[in-house]
Amino acid sequence: MPAVTVENPLTLPRVTAPADAVARPVLTVTTAPSGFEGEGFPVRRAFAGINYRHLDPFIMMDQMGEVEYAPGEPKGTPWHPHRGFETVTYIIDGTFDHQDSHGGGGTITNGDTQWMTAGSGLLHIEAPPEQLVVSGGLFHGLQLWVNLPAKDKMMAPRYQDIRGGSVQLLTSPDGGALLRVIAGELDGHEGPGVTHTPITMVHATLAPGAEITLPWREDFNGLAYVMAGKGAVGAERRPIHLGQTAVFGAGSSLTVRADERQDSPTPDLEVVLLGGQPIREPMAHYGPFVMNTRDELQQAFEDFQKGRLGTVPAVHGMSEGGL
């Protein structure tokens, strides 16, 4: 980690908050519990225990790995349905294949993002490719669920394959941080991901001792999740480390700082920064469906059981297991 980088960050556009920006205070820092997904894939539940009013429009986020697989160990999930939201799968290290019942799919690897708008619904599988299963190797990524407003929940499904080389790269004034804008915009610089719900998603790498203070839309919420390393958040420098999520309060800028010393083998602080415009609609969430009412949830389950979300292709290029 990281997969997408540059030799000299000072060649990149530089970003910092204006002097009169209002610093966002840190409301909470929570620690993600560890668990398993699908066929035994290790994850950290980044948003567990955080009140949804601080997350909206984000629903959940799992850190997948970081894990070094032995030959024969890589795992994913079986075929499963989705309706009513978007899944964002960001691969930092390793490779995943993905496929759906509508004929969509592809392969994402180091630094790539697969953005799937489930909309009205489909069946979906994500799995390590056969060569990774045979050889083993490093795997690390994130999966984020982004809610859709009621008017978009039944839209036609859509894929975006965002290659690592297309993300917008930025840096801090001193070059101590590398910022990858995957979706949304940061200080006028736009990432390649097209979103239905206005959001910003940034993967930041901070060298030891580096600090960033970024402008942040006042109508967005603000979250920071640490994927590796340790540091501090907010002007008050509240400590934060691997597997923890910081929730920021109101304001127009947010601050993250890397500790001077990082724990080996992690040389830098790796953090994902998220902000979104809250939808502020009722949410009914159960399993793979995110709707507005219980009746809509029941309809989603009925449609799935009756095959209305599609069927698993009889011939496909992936194993029956998969995430």
Side-chain angles (χ1 to χ4, degrees), residues 15 78 81 104 116 155 193 216 232 250 270 280 320:
V15 177
M116 186 184 78
M155 67 178 294
W216 211 251
E270 303 284 351
R280 307 220 186 280
E320 288 298 328

Side-chain angles (χ1 to χ4, degrees), residues 31 141 156 163 170 173 182-183 229 239-240 292:
T31 300
R163 296 299 154 183
L170 307 169
I182 298 168
I240 193 169
N292 292 102

